[in-house]
Amino acid sequence: MKIRNLIILSTAFLYGCLSTEARSLPDMQTDSLIASHKFINIDGTPVDTHSREYLDSVYNIIATFYYDQFRHFSDPAAPYFLFMSRDSQLAMGVGGAVRMRGYYDWGGAIPSPAFAPYMIPIHPDPANMRVFGTTPAGTCLFFRVIGRNKTFGEYQLYIEANFNGYQTRDFRLKKAYAMINDFTVGYAVSTFSDLAAVPPTVDANGPNNKMSMTSVLVRYMPTFKNRWTVAASLETPATQIAADNSTTRSVSSWLPDAAAFVQYQWDKSQHIRLAGILRTLSYRDIAAGKNFNKLGWGIQLSSVSHPVDPLTLYLTMSTGRGYGSLGGDLICSAYDLVPDPDKPVRLTAPASLGWCAGLQYNFTPSFFISASASQTRYFAKNEAPDEYKSGTFICVNTFYNLTPRIQLGAELDLGQRRNFGGEHRWARRVGAVCQFSF
């Protein structure tokens, strides 16, 4: 059994390495993950484990775990043990990751395990100038099924839950969705997100313009000629309205968000994408006894590429109005609708802009350093001097895979919060992570 599995995996790994004209070092690390699986056949030993057709099926099924449009660097690897049917048309497994982070702040601590520039105290508490903390947040369990059916075609089922709730230890649902061919139904990452274009970080929060909203959605995402992918979805909204409940109040969401993107990819791990989202933001004028609807919208341009073999570039830029609750610094408060300074007892969708640029240099497939800078800017009129205006996040990190499934990382974080009154302050953190995927 062990010898047969070793032959299958070694041959599938070699096939994966030779299946494209050139493999980047990050792709080679992915290939090592693809090769680090054990198979348990659930209905008998395959007839011919050396045929090209069988090896193609094995490689393609496992690669589906990793070459996912919405997979981030920190997401767990595919299950170490996979149950596979005799004809290799079905694979399923239970996997997860044990992740432990430690961090140290000095010169005024951020009151959170996540490094968010919005939360930097302009006037730090003298009793909290330094802090050492640890968190198991991000430790997760998941179940995944990938298969092919003569009637339905290709399908996937995925459920993931993380220990990141109360005190970062409660078990909470993170994703739960089904994919049938080009359709996705369930609790999944928003179509407006492009997590593959987000640079790696030790910190769980990541760049402060990171769009990472998860919601119940229905998505259609076909690919044409292996180069163009388009997607459109209707998504359950989760708005954050700055109503004071005396002159204005929020109104229940009554229309889904509509998101879409168009993407060109020249390799499984390289693409450029333009995404957009439209939202209906509603509130009630209590004195007038009327409900009002504002249009919220956002656009995002993103890309991940390997211009030369050891180098990976990550780029994202987003702008719009009333999309603060979709991610980034502005998710820390209610910025979808805010009071309109020109019209008393009215709310408006404020404008904002976010960007991130990152690079990663691989010395070997299992060892790299990376650096990134990101910023979110909030545009509003006549704001109070102590209101958040912009946040900047800069980080430098290194990651090393002891084995394909044991990863170590260390990072230096720098962040700045700036208020409309001109006050600003920098914060500093060093962090480390140890992760084991199974």
Side-chain angles (χ1 to χ4, degrees):
M1 176 87 175
K2 292 182 179 179
I3 296 176
R4 180 175 60 81
N5 280 337
L6 180 62
I7 293 173
I8 293 172
L9 288 171
S10 299
T11 310
F13 173 65
L14 180 62
Y15 165 73
C17 293
L18 299 176
S19 60
T20 58
E21 294 182 0
R23 304 292 290 172
S24 68
L25 291 177
D27 286 336
M28 291 173 65
Q29 170 62 22
T30 301
D31 287 332
S32 70
L33 277 170
I34 293 174
S36 67
H37 295 278
K38 300 295 183 183
F39 292 95
I40 301 174
N41 296 110
I42 57 179
D43 55 2
T45 304
V47 175
D48 186 0
T49 60
H50 303 288
S51 69
R52 183 59 179 262
E53 182 180 358
Y54 181 79
L55 293 174
D56 284 355
S57 297
V58 170
Y59 180 81
N60 289 333
I61 284 179
I62 303 175
T64 304
F65 283 91
Y66 299 105
Y67 294 108
D68 185 331
Q69 296 282 353
F70 301 98
R71 186 177 189 273
H72 184 249
F73 167 82
S74 62
D75 286 347
Y80 182 68
F81 290 100
L82 287 170
F83 295 92
M84 183 170 287
S85 63
R86 184 178 182 181
D87 59 2
S88 70
Q89 296 299 298
L90 173 69
M92 61 181 178
V94 178
V98 176
R99 182 183 291 125
M100 296 294 162
R101 291 186 177 94
Y103 60 92
Y104 176 74
D105 291 8
W106 71 97
I110 292 179
S112 169
F115 192 88
Y118 181 94
M119 302 182 70
I120 296 174
I122 297 296
H123 305 288
D125 183 349
N128 294 294
M129 297 300 291
R130 294 176 293 178
V131 66
F132 168 74
T134 59
T135 174
T139 297
C140 64
L141 291 172
F142 69 90
F143 175 82
R144 192 164 196 171
V145 173
I146 298 178
R148 300 183 184 91
N149 182 275
K150 292 181 180 179
T151 303
F152 298 105
E154 296 184 355
Y155 63 91
Q156 294 188 44
L157 302 174
Y158 187 77
I159 298 174
E160 181 183 344
N162 281 23
F163 292 91
N164 61 355
Y166 177 68
Q167 294 184 345
T168 69
R169 288 166 175 81
D170 280 359
F171 197 48
R172 303 180 65 180
L173 183 67
K174 183 178 181 180
K175 299 175 186 175
Y177 60 83
M179 296 177 63
I180 302 177
N181 293 323
D182 297 327
F183 287 93
T184 300
V185 179
Y187 189 54
V189 175
S190 170
T191 303
F192 188 62
S193 301
D194 188 0
L195 296 182
V198 176
T201 59
V202 168
D203 179 73
N205 196 61
N208 68 334
N209 76 318
K210 178 182 174 183
M211 297 292 108
S212 57
M213 180 65 180
T214 302
S215 64
V216 177
L217 55 79
V218 177
R219 175 166 53 227
Y220 178 59
M221 191 175 73
T223 297
F224 304 96
K225 298 183 179 180
N226 294 322
R227 286 291 184 266
W228 292 93
T229 298
V230 297
S233 64
L234 296 177
E235 308 180 1
T236 304
T239 58
Q240 297 179 163
I241 310 298
D244 57 18
N245 292 322
S246 59
T247 60
T248 58
R249 58 176 295 188
S250 60
V251 173
S252 299
S253 299
W254 57 282
L255 278 177
D257 292 348
F261 74 70
V262 58
Q263 171 178 298
Y264 177 77
Q265 61 262 359
W266 54 97
D267 185 72
K268 289 182 178 179
S269 61
Q270 302 183 77
H271 67 254
I272 183 170
R273 175 188 295 182
L274 180 63
I277 192 167
L278 293 175
R279 322 181 72 197
T280 299
L281 307 170
S282 303
Y283 73 97
R284 184 171 181 82
D285 183 333
I286 296 176
K290 293 182 179 180
N291 293 344
F292 293 88
N293 301 308
K294 292 288 185 178
L295 177 66
W297 58 273
I299 56 173
Q300 177 169 264
L301 180 66
S302 56
S303 176
V304 56
S305 63
H306 309 300
V308 293
D309 182 27
L311 190 65
T312 304
L313 296 181
Y314 303 90
L315 298 170
T316 60
M317 178 172 286
S318 59
T319 189
R321 288 182 173 273
Y323 75 108
S325 61
L326 298 181
D329 252 8
L330 299 184
I331 201 173
C332 296
S333 189
Y335 287 104
D336 287 342
L337 287 181
V338 299
D340 188 338
D342 298 327
K343 299 178 181 179
V345 200
R346 290 288 187 271
L347 301 182
T348 186
S352 61
L353 171 70
W355 61 265
C356 175
L359 58 86
Q360 171 183 319
Y361 188 91
N362 279 72
F363 295 93
T364 69
S366 59
F367 173 60
F368 69 82
I369 60 172
S370 78
S372 63
S374 58
Q375 187 179 76
T376 292
R377 295 183 61 85
Y378 171 55
F379 301 100
K381 300 178 182 178
N382 303 324
E383 288 290 344
D386 61 349
E387 176 62 74
Y388 171 94
K389 181 179 181 180
S390 69
T392 302
F393 175 76
I394 301 170
C395 76
V396 179
N397 55 50
T398 181
F399 286 88
Y400 177 60
N401 288 79
L402 293 173
T403 73
R405 293 181 171 275
I406 300 178
Q407 184 181 79
L408 302 176
E411 182 170 270
L412 170 65
D413 297 325
L414 299 174
Q416 184 201 64
R417 171 176 170 143
R418 180 176 294 272
N419 291 343
F420 275 93
E423 288 187 303
H424 63 277
R425 188 169 170 278
W426 287 90
R428 296 160 292 276
R429 171 176 290 184
V430 291
V433 65
C434 178
Q435 175 177 302
F436 176 79
S437 297
F438 60 89

